[in-house]
Amino acid sequence: MVPSAVSLRASRQELLERTDLHGDGFCRALARATDTWLSGLLNHATDGDLRGLGLVAVGGYGRGELCPGSDLDVVLVHERRRDIGVVADAVWYPVWDEGVRLDHSVRRPGEVLEVAAADLRAQLGWLDGRLVAGDAELVTPLVAKALDLWRAQAGKWLPVLAEQVDERHRAHGDVAFLLEPDLKESHGGLRDIHVVTAAARAVPAVADEVDLASLDGPRQVLTAARVELHRNTGRATDRLLLQEQDQVAAALDYADADALMAAISEAGRTIAWVADDVWRRRSLWATSRSNRRRRRAGRRSGVEGKVAPGDVSRPIEPGVALTGDDGGAEQGEMVVVGTDAAVDRDPALPLRIAAVAAERGLPIARASLDILAERTPAPPTPWPPDMRNTLVRVLATGAPAIAALESLDQRGLLVRLIPEWAAVRNRPQRNSFHRFTVDRHLLETAAEAATLAPSVSRPDLLLVGALLHDIGKGFPGDHTDAGVEIVGDLGLRLGFDRDDVDILVSLVRNHLLLSELATRRDLDDPATVAAVVAAVGDRARLELLAALTEADSRATGPAAWGSWKAGLVADLVRRSDARLSGRTTPVRSSLVTDRHRGFMEQVQKLGRSIVTANGPKVTVVAKDRPGLLAAVAGVFALHGLDVRSADVTGERDFAVELFDVEPSRRRWPDWELVADEIDAALRGTLPLDERLTQQANAYAGERRVTSPHPIATAVTIVDGASEASTVIEIRAADSVGLLYRVTAMFFALDLDVVAARVSTFGHEVVDAFYVRDRSNGRKVGDPERIKRIEDGARAAIKADAKGR
């Protein structure tokens, strides 16, 4: 007998080229082709004598879940075969020659069980053991014994497995809420299905209590996406990056990438929901058969979800009770619908149950959620005060509110309470600036706001405003305009009076105001504070808006709130508060310090520029001359420094430029060399344009795409932003050399940059420049001149794009 003439590589490639084959269909087809090929190798190696020999697929291959980039996990089991070394080589070497990653071992049956008893990974793999070729009488009993061993050692391995699950979730985040989830390892990913199934096989009580059947549909969604991800990238990668989402969506016939990611989010939510339920029910691992029979009797009698007969319950408040051992979630304690609950007449009951769950850090019983979903009426219009206050009570718990409200959302109760929630549920934001889907971002913002609530006079308005500030993202048009309209109506339905609704609407309308003005405007310009005062109107609203700004930024992601931005926002709030209270507006201390003046003396004495750095904060002191900012920006770009913010000031004949930078190459440059190159660029001996183009070509593949769509370029002259300067705001894709080319354009048009704000938001930049006519130091007012500035900025952006 000879192996098949068709190589495994060829069979795999043939399957990859079949555009009609997706998901489970592809995985099964590849597993069958692999079975056939390996069977041929084993038969050829043994001349068909397979007695006492079995090739066993374990893990994903054993389940028939072979994605294009999956490893082959196999064990060659033998008993009394003297030729086992020769046979093993005859199987392993052809696999390696095919370029397939192989996880392999050769074991006697006793060794298989011995290794499984000591190695959790090996034990889990054998739960899916499947004979590929060989002696079934040898392998079939071995697979059964491996399962018996797993059940016998459940007390040893399940706690270890639970710890590994927790660690993996912390490392990889959530499939449901991340914009670039790991389809396998993230919370709610494929790995969770496998470990939950393993737990159920170890402890039958798990299968009695948890809806494992609900996992199959989500598994198919994630598997289909994983297959196409491997197919599209040609790599065994499981993180679905933004740049891959459009292609995967098209291959699977989704309307667009948003539809794909919404489906993945929903699948991840369901998987996480079931998996979390399993690990919360650890007390079931020791539950007696009589208790399980009692629970089943409760389900048949229709009372489960309230307190089943024989359970110990502790009423907490009207309609809410605790059941299980009094020792927290790990001891099986849960929040349930109390026996006194009038579910059909109590629309606030889900919120009261969520409040108790959040305050005590307990899960809500799944059967209770089912009862609430089936019987809770829609809320009245408007909500009564106690119902609205209960919503605030839930939100005030902070981070624990996320899990409690997510539980309600799993059964459609959050949408029943707030129908507009349906439009943002699972909605991706699809840029790397945001970590989460819109709905999760709203919950995270409310949780962050809860930590700030003690600092404001109306915590209720802050918490509800945080929950609703981005609700417009689920509707057509500008999300702020849509949110203003929605919250104007929704606030009244929630039972707030018109004055409070007006404040909520103001928070939604202005939720980006402080961040944008603080990072894009000159705080010393009176027009900046005037804009804030005109928008908020009074100190109470400013207080709320400042807290919402911080909560929103912290919930967005690490790039959205750092010490630089926090300081700018705090400064802007202090100035605005002083104006609103009639006090003298505090003047920011001069950016020029005595230390800078010392540098000026050195520049004068040495005849060269000085560059110093303290971590990411870089100071450039030089003789003030036209084109200095452009030269600095160009040299920074040559050294792989991404500018995050810039302040331009000066004194006498010297310029002081202060930057926050980030090294894109993960190393800091030689700052003396940077200073020398700045001076060389100003002398014209360093050809910045040429060098930046060469660098862009050299590093073209290093910058990962962080948005699936091209960034719309915008050049805006911001009317009224300053009385003394023309403010030009530029929005474009982030790239090496952009700041240099834009500032060089200003120099070419005889403009001085007197202040600049450079802000990076994931994949795009929004830069604001305060410029004046170099000839007279005044604001540019001539319409034709302004038109030339706009055209020049667009040309600079276009040139930058060509250089990438």
Side-chain angles (χ1 to χ4, degrees):
M1 300 179 67
V2 297
S4 170
V6 179
S7 72
L8 180 59
R9 185 188 298 112
S11 296
R12 177 179 172 276
Q13 185 59 37
E14 181 180 342
L15 294 174
L16 285 171
E17 292 172 359
R18 286 186 54 184
T19 58
D20 64 321
L21 201 56
H22 305 288
D24 284 351
F26 178 94
C27 293
R28 287 192 295 265
L30 182 56
R32 286 194 300 268
T34 304
D35 286 356
T36 299
W37 188 72
L38 290 176
S39 296
L41 292 177
L42 189 63
N43 274 288
H44 180 67
T46 61
D47 291 327
D49 181 8
L50 300 177
R51 291 171 298 175
L53 187 67
L55 186 63
V56 182
V58 297
Y61 180 26
R63 294 187 297 272
E65 296 175 358
L66 275 188
C67 291
S70 295
D71 296 353
L72 293 184
D73 290 350
V74 293
V75 180
L76 188 58
V77 181
H78 68 98
E79 192 169 52
R80 294 188 295 274
R81 293 285 302 221
R82 294 183 178 181
D83 60 345
I84 189 61
V86 174
V87 172
D89 288 346
V91 176
W92 305 152
Y93 278 97
V95 175
W96 291 325
D97 290 343
E98 290 287 306
V100 177
R101 293 184 301 177
L102 178 68
D103 189 341
H104 66 289
S105 60
V106 179
R107 302 269 191 259
R108 292 184 175 88
E111 293 172 334
V112 167
L113 298 176
E114 182 180 339
V115 170
D119 187 312
L120 176 59
R121 184 173 179 273
Q123 174 71 88
L124 292 173
W126 270 94
L127 293 180
D128 298 303
R130 177 177 60 81
L131 180 64
V132 173
D135 189 343
E137 292 184 0
L138 173 68
V139 171
T140 301
L142 183 59
V143 173
K145 289 178 181 178
L147 177 58
D148 290 342
L149 178 64
W150 172 240
R151 289 172 174 164
Q153 292 194 311
K156 168 187 174 181
W157 284 129
L158 286 177
V160 175
L161 186 58
E163 289 180 7
Q164 291 181 358
V165 167
D166 289 342
E167 182 177 347
R168 176 167 50 81
H169 291 171
R170 286 192 296 270
H172 295 282
D174 289 76
V175 168
F177 307 117
L178 290 175
L179 303 181
E180 296 182 325
D182 188 309
L183 301 173
K184 185 176 181 181
E185 303 293 350
S186 289
H187 183 205
L190 291 166
R191 180 82 71 189
D192 276 336
I193 297 178
H194 306 152
V195 296
V196 163
T197 303
R201 297 183 74 179
V203 184
V206 171
D208 287 344
E209 300 286 342
V210 177
D211 185 12
L212 296 178
S214 66
L215 296 176
D216 191 56
R219 181 195 59 77
Q220 293 181 42
V221 170
L222 297 190
T223 298
R226 187 175 183 232
V227 167
E228 296 310 319
L229 180 60
H230 287 192
R231 194 197 311 248
N232 188 59
T233 61
R235 296 182 290 111
T237 179
D238 294 320
R239 188 178 176 200
L240 184 52
L241 300 177
L242 286 164
Q243 66 201 54
E244 312 296 347
Q245 291 172 10
D246 284 309
Q247 294 91 330
V248 172
L252 295 175
D253 291 329
Y254 285 95
D256 53 28
D258 283 354
L260 165 71
M261 297 311 295
I264 287 174
S265 177
E266 184 64 34
R269 264 185 143 133
T270 300
I271 295 168
W273 176 253
V274 173
D276 290 351
D277 197 20
V278 168
W279 301 118
R280 276 198 295 261
R281 293 171 180 265
R282 295 179 192 182
S283 61
L284 284 176
W285 301 344
T287 299
S288 68
R289 290 179 181 272
S290 61
N291 283 341
R292 294 201 297 274
R293 282 197 298 270
R294 176 171 50 77
R295 283 189 170 89
R296 286 194 291 270
R299 283 198 294 272
R300 287 193 297 271
S301 67
V303 299
E304 195 205 24
K306 291 189 175 182
V307 181
D311 276 340
V312 176
S313 69
R314 300 182 299 285
I316 298 299
E317 54 189 74
V320 185
L322 302 182
T323 188
D325 294 336
D326 185 6
E330 289 194 4
Q331 299 302 316
E333 191 174 21
M334 294 183 289
V335 183
V336 296
V337 174
T339 55
D340 63 330
V343 182
D344 306 87
R345 303 187 303 277
D346 191 352
L349 181 58
L351 289 173
R352 290 204 305 280
I353 285 180
V356 171
E359 289 164 353
R360 294 172 177 260
L362 296 175
I364 304 172
R366 301 302 165 94
S368 287
L369 288 167
D370 291 339
I371 286 177
L372 293 172
E374 180 181 348
R375 295 170 52 188
T376 302
T381 301
W383 288 19
D386 63 334
M387 185 170 177
R388 183 181 67 252
N389 291 338
T390 305
L391 172 62
V392 172
R393 175 185 164 194
V394 177
L395 298 175
T397 63
I402 296 174
L405 292 174
E406 170 69 9
S407 294
L408 299 188
D409 197 27
Q410 279 288 337
R411 290 297 185 262
L413 289 161
L414 201 49
V415 171
R416 188 174 307 175
L417 291 165
I418 304 174
E420 293 84 354
W421 194 260
V424 297
R425 192 174 188 275
N426 297 330
R427 188 174 184 83
Q429 305 201 65
R430 305 199 70 214
N431 66 69
S432 62
F433 188 57
H434 285 87
R435 287 183 294 178
F436 300 120
T437 53
V438 177
D439 55 339
R440 183 55 177 260
H441 172 69
L442 293 174
L443 293 177
E444 293 281 349
T445 302
E448 293 285 354
T451 67
L452 303 171
S455 67
V456 301
S457 58
R458 288 295 302 274
D460 57 335
L461 296 179
L462 172 62
L463 293 170
V464 175
L467 182 68
L468 301 177
H469 75 280
D470 270 347
I471 197 75
K473 286 186 174 179
F475 297 85
D478 178 82
H479 85 277
T480 299
D481 293 340
V484 163
E485 183 176 348
I486 291 165
V487 172
D489 175 66
L490 179 55
L492 293 173
R493 293 206 323 265
L494 294 178
F496 288 102
D497 63 34
R498 291 194 177 274
D499 288 342
D500 286 350
V501 171
D502 186 55
I503 293 174
L504 288 173
V505 168
S506 177
L507 289 175
V508 174
R509 179 183 291 114
N510 296 312
H511 73 275
L512 299 175
L513 178 73
L514 295 180
S515 289
E516 291 183 348
L517 291 183
T519 58
R520 303 181 197 175
R521 298 291 179 266
D522 183 1
L523 302 191
D524 284 325
D525 194 308
T528 303
V529 170
V532 175
V533 170
V536 299
D538 60 56
R539 297 178 68 196
R541 296 188 190 208
L542 177 64
E543 175 189 70
L544 289 169
L545 186 60
L548 175 59
T549 299
E550 181 174 347
D552 184 18
S553 298
R554 289 185 180 280
T556 295
W561 190 257
S563 58
W564 169 71
K565 181 176 178 180
L568 291 175
V569 170
D571 192 5
L572 178 58
V573 170
R574 281 195 299 271
R575 293 164 180 257
S576 302
D577 185 70
R579 178 79 63 85
L580 287 165
S581 62
R583 303 192 312 272
T584 301
T585 302
V587 177
R588 184 172 58 174
S589 60
S590 173
L591 290 174
V592 179
T593 65
D594 288 341
R595 179 170 174 266
H596 297 145
R597 295 184 183 99
F599 289 147
M600 293 175 192
E601 293 178 6
Q602 294 182 47
V603 170
Q604 182 70 36
K605 180 179 179 180
L606 300 174
R608 63 189 297 271
S609 301
I610 290 178
V611 179
T612 64
N614 181 13
K617 297 187 179 301
V618 180
T619 301
V620 178
V621 180
K623 275 287 193 178
D624 195 10
R625 70 200 92 172
L628 176 61
L629 179 60
V632 173
V635 173
F636 279 7
L638 283 180
H639 287 272
L641 297 173
D642 294 334
V643 175
R644 296 308 180 213
S645 67
D647 275 303
V648 181
T649 186
E651 192 173 275
R652 303 194 309 271
D653 294 329
F654 295 91
V656 177
E657 298 181 349
L658 309 175
F659 300 89
D660 269 289
V661 301
E662 180 178 302
S664 63
R665 301 172 202 165
R666 299 184 179 180
R667 65 178 184 272
W668 295 108
D670 179 335
W671 295 111
E672 287 194 10
L673 176 60
V674 170
D676 289 342
E677 290 187 347
I678 290 171
D679 290 337
L682 290 167
R683 291 193 303 268
T685 58
L686 177 65
L688 281 175
D689 280 301
E690 180 182 339
R691 289 279 301 276
L692 285 170
T693 298
Q694 292 172 351
Q695 179 165 289
N697 292 334
Y699 290 93
E702 289 198 2
R703 295 204 169 203
R704 183 173 68 79
V705 175
T706 55
S707 173
H709 305 300
I711 303 304
T713 297
V715 178
T716 306
I717 306 297
V718 186
D719 294 331
S722 173
E723 294 181 1
S725 302
T726 300
V727 179
I728 304 163
E729 191 170 280
I730 293 175
R731 184 183 296 268
D734 189 18
S735 65
V736 174
L738 175 63
L739 181 60
Y740 160 70
R741 291 187 170 88
V742 171
T743 52
M745 177 274 300
F746 290 144
F747 171 60
L749 292 178
D750 293 324
L751 298 170
D752 279 336
V753 177
V754 297
R757 286 282 184 239
V758 181
S759 303
T760 303
F761 302 94
H763 57 286
E764 67 180 315
V765 293
V766 181
D767 298 345
F769 302 92
Y770 285 67
V771 302
R772 295 176 186 168
D773 190 320
R774 190 181 306 149
S775 65
N776 57 26
R778 296 177 181 174
K779 183 175 183 178
V780 178
D782 178 32
E784 291 187 7
R785 184 91 182 277
I786 289 176
K787 177 68 164 52
R788 287 198 299 273
I789 295 172
E790 291 176 325
D791 291 343
R794 292 189 183 95
I797 295 169
K798 186 175 182 181
D800 181 73
K802 286 183 178 179
R804 277 181 267 151

